[in-house]
Amino acid sequence: MGIEQFFQDLFHHDSGDPAASVTLPPLSTTPMTAGRVLLIHGYSAEWKGFVPWHNALKGAGIDTTPIAIGNYVTLNNEVTIKDLGEAFGRALLFTPWSTGTNDDTFTFDAIVHSTGMLVLRQWLTSDPYPRTDPRSRIRRLKHLVGLAPATFGSPQAKEGRSWLGALVKGNRDLGPDFLNAGDKVLLGLELASSYTWGLAHQDMLIDPPLYGTGSDTPYVTVFIGNIGYTGIAAVANSPGSDGTVRWAGCALNTRKVSLDLRRYPQLKDANGNPTRCTISNWAAERLSAPMIAVDGQNHGTIISDPDPNVRDFIVRFLHLSNAVDYNSWEAAALNFGQPSLDKMDKESISEGGGGAGWQQLIIHMVDDHGDGVPDFNFRIFIGDDLSQSDDPSFLSIPLIADAYSGDNSYRCFYIRVYPNMLNINAPGKPPKKMWIELIASSGSDLIQYEAYTGEAGAPQSLTVDHSGGSPVKFDITGLTQGASLLYPYTTTLLEVFVEREPTPLGTVSTVFTFPQVI
């Protein structure tokens, strides 16, 4: 089935309807018509990996003579993703498009794979010019296509930093970088890394949005395969992924939830009043940039064996120049990907859970001093009453947990979503609640983390140890209405603020005293 048929299925469901012919988004003038298309590879790869896409675009009738395939170094332990973004900007100044004059006004399109998405976004968010300046980077990049982009990293990154990872992925060229696995790049690629957390705040959670619906910001789309690796490479597969990138961690439709459990909440509601919970708004003019599933492809084959339908969708995407055409294109692309997405939903089923896809939750716990809380745990429950989780036999929702090795206050939880999680308290259903339990430890009896879920004078200890204590519970049923917290195939950022206090509470602590003078 070709792209024309997907549009026809979208707009004309009655095959016997002799209505007007299908209207496709027009082919408008964009950088692609001038050949200014960049292809940017991923971690440990090189420019040759994008040659199949170069040939595929040429087969679609695009003038590939000026198409540039970028190449960059990842297998060096001192290079960071920020360095790569800076180097990318410098390389642009010396492309043939700048006509040898270091021109920084020409427009271009980009197709990126895996880590290439982070490199490109790093460059975008390091813009030295205001948005109104024609040299502004978000004005110059017209279209951004992500092929299995590592938007929120990869579960393989931590393994890649090991000695075994160096043997498998390390630089094989004899010299000072021999067996270097690119430690600092991989650190940024880890799940829940502070780097991807910060980058999301610079482009996906900023207002006004960096990816808007107008022609003065880039149009963005993301494709990813719906299977993992096969054969011997299957040992590297991670649940809910294309083998390398998680299905819920590639799109750019992220939201952020903040919970303020400090004594005096500092979060503000829409009216400027203190509140204990905020949810980032979907900007009215922000692109959704959802994940579009591709059947039968994994992280490698989506590059090495271009799908003809995906190629046709991308070619037409590179011609889009207004919101109306973008919305039509996106609807048709999602229609194309729906059967593949259905297979991913089924893959999420395990031990009675799942069936509605995958959700990634990245949590950063911070104390009232602004410092990270490196030792904490988090669980989610669904039931009739919060007291049910007092019973150790009452099961929580299964989570696949990872901690960022650079700072354990950042953690990632991967969830197999099942349908009841998405329609709690829907009409006709028995009332249910969803709640979370939190515990945290300072590692010392002298310091304790506290949560204030109500009045400022009634703290709950987050410490659970041999001397007793119980997890702090927080009812999040309200956050599940309208898919605020859980939305399949997306990543939600959850920032939790707690109070760090010397013990014992309510009196002079053992940390600092004024001894009596005898």
Side-chain angles (χ1 to χ4, degrees):
M1 183 184 293
I3 184 174
E4 313 291 332
Q5 187 61 49
F6 287 110
F7 276 93
Q8 187 173 48
D9 289 346
L10 179 70
F11 296 117
H12 302 290
H13 293 286
D14 183 359
S15 59
D17 179 14
S21 59
V22 177
T23 301
L24 298 178
L27 299 178
S28 57
T29 302
T30 70
M32 189 268 289
T33 61
R36 294 194 299 271
V37 180
L38 278 175
L39 308 178
I40 306 174
H41 65 76
Y43 164 76
S44 84
E46 60 178 2
W47 67 272
K48 295 176 183 177
F50 247 122
V51 168
W53 267 99
H54 177 280
N55 296 336
L57 293 172
K58 182 178 181 180
I62 296 177
D63 177 12
T64 58
T65 303
I67 284 183
I69 304 178
N71 194 57
Y72 60 94
V73 174
T74 56
L75 299 181
N76 176 288
N77 287 342
E78 301 307 316
V79 173
T80 68
I81 299 174
K82 292 180 179 180
D83 292 332
L84 295 174
E86 180 73 19
F88 170 73
R90 190 178 303 174
L92 280 179
L93 294 176
F94 293 92
T95 64
W97 307 330
S98 69
T99 62
T101 61
N102 291 350
D103 176 30
D104 56 2
T105 61
F106 65 83
T107 59
F108 64 97
D109 300 327
I111 302 175
V112 301
H113 178 237
S114 197
T115 311
M117 175 63 86
L118 297 179
V119 175
L120 199 284
R121 289 171 58 214
Q122 175 62 45
W123 175 79
L124 271 179
T125 56
S126 303
D127 197 344
Y129 302 109
R131 296 187 179 198
T132 55
D133 193 307
R135 295 169 295 178
S136 174
R137 292 175 178 179
I138 62 170
R139 286 180 174 269
R140 294 175 58 201
L141 178 63
K142 293 302 183 182
H143 302 86
L144 173 58
V145 178
L147 298 176
T151 305
F152 283 98
S154 166
Q156 292 182 352
K158 190 176 292 186
E159 286 72 19
R161 297 181 66 224
S162 68
W163 179 80
L164 178 61
L167 288 179
V168 175
K169 282 285 192 178
N171 193 329
R172 301 302 205 291
D173 295 331
L174 293 176
D177 295 338
F178 181 60
L179 287 187
N180 278 7
D183 279 359
K184 292 185 177 179
V185 171
L186 287 171
L187 190 65
L189 277 170
E190 279 192 29
L191 296 173
S193 77
S194 58
Y195 173 75
T196 53
W197 175 280
L199 189 61
H201 285 74
Q202 295 178 60
D203 66 345
M204 288 186 273
L205 297 172
I206 195 172
D207 191 16
L210 200 65
Y211 312 116
T213 58
S215 59
D216 55 349
T217 63
Y219 290 105
V220 185
T221 190
V222 170
F223 292 88
I224 191 168
N226 71 342
I227 62 172
Y229 297 117
T230 58
I232 192 172
V235 298
N237 287 338
S238 177
S241 77
D242 69 349
T244 293
V245 169
R246 283 179 169 174
W247 293 328
C250 62
L252 279 76
N253 48 0
T254 291
R255 298 199 73 181
K256 181 182 178 182
V257 177
S258 298
L259 298 179
D260 197 336
L261 307 180
R262 291 171 288 196
R263 179 187 286 113
Y264 304 107
Q266 298 174 33
L267 297 179
K268 304 295 182 182
D269 62 18
N271 298 318
N273 299 316
T275 183
R276 294 207 178 273
C277 181
T278 61
I279 305 173
S280 65
N281 294 321
W282 286 112
E285 298 299 321
R286 174 181 168 185
L287 292 180
S288 59
M291 174 268 291
I292 299 166
V294 183
D295 192 42
Q297 293 207 313
N298 59 40
H299 195 72
T301 57
I302 200 168
I303 286 293
S304 64
D305 185 20
D307 182 285
N309 285 317
V310 174
R311 178 204 63 185
D312 292 345
F313 270 103
I314 289 176
V315 169
R316 193 162 293 277
F317 175 80
L318 297 178
H319 286 90
L320 299 178
S321 61
N322 60 71
V324 173
D325 292 340
Y326 174 86
N327 290 335
S328 296
W329 180 93
E330 183 183 84
L334 290 171
N335 186 45
F336 156 75
Q338 188 59 52
S340 304
L341 194 69
D342 293 340
K343 295 179 182 179
M344 294 157 72
D345 287 347
K346 292 179 180 178
E347 199 275 341
S348 71
I349 298 174
S350 176
E351 299 179 356
W358 301 80
Q359 164 79 39
Q360 184 165 256
L361 193 61
I362 297 178
I363 301 179
H364 185 210
M365 186 176 283
V366 186
D367 67 23
D368 54 307
H369 303 293
D371 297 324
V373 179
D375 188 4
F376 73 91
N377 196 19
F378 165 91
R379 293 198 296 172
I380 306 178
F381 295 87
I382 293 180
D384 300 319
D385 187 83
L386 274 63
S387 62
Q388 287 179 286
S389 59
D390 293 338
D391 181 353
S393 65
F394 187 76
L395 298 178
S396 62
I397 294 172
L399 304 173
I400 301 173
D402 291 273
Y404 172 47
S405 64
D407 181 349
N408 286 178
S409 67
Y410 293 91
R411 302 200 175 193
C412 182
F413 299 88
Y414 207 29
I415 307 169
R416 298 175 187 267
V417 181
Y418 56 90
N420 286 344
M421 297 170 67
L422 303 177
N423 54 13
I424 290 179
N425 298 333
K429 289 184 173 291
K432 293 286 183 180
K433 291 182 179 294
M434 179 181 287
W435 66 95
I436 61 175
E437 285 190 351
L438 293 172
I439 61 174
S441 174
S442 70
S444 170
D445 293 337
L446 299 176
I447 301 294
Q448 189 168 278
Y449 291 110
E450 305 285 338
Y452 292 80
T453 58
E455 297 299 322
Q460 293 178 265
S461 173
L462 286 162
T463 301
V464 177
D465 55 24
H466 64 277
S467 61
S470 59
V472 171
K473 301 180 183 185
F474 201 87
D475 190 338
I476 60 169
T477 307
L479 296 181
T480 65
Q481 311 305 315
S484 297
L485 181 65
L486 297 177
Y487 197 95
Y489 303 107
T490 68
T491 292
T492 297
L493 305 186
L494 176 59
E495 190 165 33
V496 182
F497 297 94
V498 297
E499 194 85 4
R500 178 184 170 100
E501 301 188 82
T503 59
L505 299 179
T507 186
V508 176
S509 74
T510 54
V511 175
F512 191 101
T513 64
F514 288 104
Q516 291 184 349
V517 178
I518 299 177

